[in-house]
Amino acid sequence: MKRFLYLIFIIGLVITSCNKPPIVPQPEDVVFHATANSYGLKSSNCDNPVADYALITINTVLNGVILENTAVTKTVDVFYLEGNIYTNTLKLDAGNFAVTQFILMSTNFEGEDIVVMASPIEGADYEKFVADALPLKFSVGAFLKNQVPIQVLCFTPTDISEFGFSWFAIDQITVREFCFFGDICIEDYFGYTGSLYEEQQNGLVHDMPAIFTIDVYRNRTPVSTPLVSYNNEYTEDGSDWFGEGAPLCVQYPDFNGIQDNFEFVLSILVKVDDSFVYKPFHTWISTDDGALINFGETTEIDISDDDILDFVLGDCVPDADLILPPFPDTPATPEAVVRSICFDGDICVDVNSDDYSGSAYDGMTTLDGNMPAIFKIDVKHNNVSLGSYSNLSTYGTDLCVNYTDYPDVVDKFEFALSILVIDGTTFVYKEFKTWTIYDAQTFPNMGNVGSASVMDFVLGNCAIGDINLPPYTNPNPPTVVCGECDGDVSSLTLQYIGALNNPFVKVMDDKNEEVLFVGYVSKTVPFTFIGLKRDNKMGKTINIYVYDINYNSLNVNIHTSCSQDIYAGMTFGDFYVVAGESSDGGALCSIELPTDPEPSPFDGDETAFGYGGPAYATCFLNDNDAPDNSRWGWTNGQYSASTTKTYHLDLWAGAADCDQTKGYYVGTVTFTYINGTVAVTYNIIDGVELEAIHLYVGNDKYPLNGLVSTVAPGKFTYIDDDASDGGIDTYFTISGLSGAVYIIAHADVKGD
């Protein structure tokens, strides 16, 4: 069981400890290190008898100096009120004083009175267990309430007020003790030559008293340092001990008023390689005045036979309270583990609108639609920053982050990913994702597409990663000066969006006499050419031919005389206009997309469908192919795969008969179609809650229910009946597609 000791330095006074029979403690017998208790009361009391009175020695203070010849010792009764100890009032003149002795006593009618509690004196070993050791200066003011807080070992606070008097508020601390003794069993004990074990009386033998340390932690955290530490190398007066002849008794303060959880970490002096070091082997735990428990277990250890916990490292003492496996046959108690996680990623760039020229990417990689990402990882451990890691100096290689997993505690690690992107005309790191793991956990989905130790991410849909983040475009694009086509087209930047992989393309003038461009093109990198006439004009038209072993024909004829509309964003055959210029109008403007209508508020639940505009949308009611002509809504299509296009649907709720004037605009549905994957984002306006999503995508106008077409949302490709997110964008992908597709976008929404 635990032992309780209390140190009281009072010259010529026979005292008893707080939790042991009366003894006369000597200062040199106890070593403690603790801070003063700043907490409130505790329900349990000191184990000593109830205090009956206090012995208080008070000296006068003059100009800050304690006058030695003014000491007066007063005997003052104490009383208990609701578990608290109070002194009766002392009548003192107004002035400055110092308490030089404070002892709580219990009346013993059969012998000497017993010291129950006392305040330690400056310089005593127990001084560290209180905030202010004696002497304690205080002032008494006339017509004021004078309170003197005082700390002793094992006591409670009080509060009394009266004119020209003082009273004492007492905080409670209990000093507790466990004693340990151990053996170490060494097969090759001559290998311990030169260690402290060689200094023991019997020298190096197979079974030797263990030399060890005990580190005591209170309410331990990953950054805690020991509350107190003990070892049995030498006694307090510097004499040789080396673990022989007596147990190591560990004393520590138990702060009353809260639950204190203690850990006792045992480290034994052993040989590691060519050095003798203290290596952690075991941890015991205890709560408040409870018994010792092996870490990870719940059963209390019974040491009532001698009040000493006996341990052995090895098998030479079979009846010890704790038997540890022989060293080095079995590893010690786990120490902190340094773990590592690596990151790699790509960024998908909309080359039509986002210009990364002049960024850190420029000069390190080709500025196209798929670039290795420049990113940083900010790491936190239990909400405390561990630093920031960047791949800027090691661009194109994995970024590996090391972090420490501490044993015996729950470690929470957060990894925040920020990627260098364009915002307006500047390049900034924006945070896109935070992963949270605990202890030895790994990231979800890590290793799906590559190494099991690397987290591969993709910002967008130009590649497949362990995680694909929603596409990013410049949220504040700069204003571009552009104009209508005027004169002749002088420059074009086109993107091939056809079915062939890397076809051979030739661009000719209207007479097929001059070659404006010739070469292989890809689906991800646009190509640019200029006219060969005066001022780089292209003439009336250009002819674009696409070649490969199976394909050799004119693909498209484009009017370049400005007699017909030509804008950036238009599609001609298998070619998408990324940018262009005309001889007299400068840069070609982009084709105008429909603007978002003004939101119209509504109350209650409504069903909503996506409308892709007159070029794509067909109302169920007017479509002979529709399986149900009694229900409103739109099927939209067909849409071709494109690495550069983002498609747009307006989301209308309650638009009966497909009449938008009867309904409410509630947001948009945008999507891309790249490499067989449709990436969809539902964007809901403020004031409207998204409750469910049903989306169909396929090569037919309508989904099938068995062999029969249907417009029932419950039969669509993607279903999320619990999509409530308070207006936040909702993003998801559908893969395994090919060819041109139709889309029906349905949602259940709720208005304010």
Side-chain angles (χ1 to χ4, degrees), residues 183-186 192 194-200 204 208-214 231-234 242-243 266-272 275-281 311 313 327:
D183 291 80
I184 180 172
C185 312
I186 304 296
Y192 277 68
S195 72
L196 292 178
Y197 290 103
E198 192 176 16
E199 304 298 324
Q200 293 180 347
L204 297 175
M208 299 179 291
I211 299 175
F212 60 95
T213 66
I214 298 289
N231 69 75
N232 62 353
E233 290 184 6
Y234 302 95
F242 306 136
L266 166 68
S267 299
I268 304 174
L269 184 65
V270 293
K271 186 176 183 179
V272 177
S275 301
F276 300 101
V277 298
Y278 284 99
K279 188 174 183 65
F281 278 90
F311 66 87
L313 181 62
F327 180 82

Side-chain angles (χ1 to χ4, degrees), residues 149-163:
I150 188 168
Q151 287 190 321
V152 297
L153 298 177
C154 240
F155 49 97
T156 53
T158 189
D159 183 6
I160 301 175
S161 62
E162 191 168 333
F163 165 76

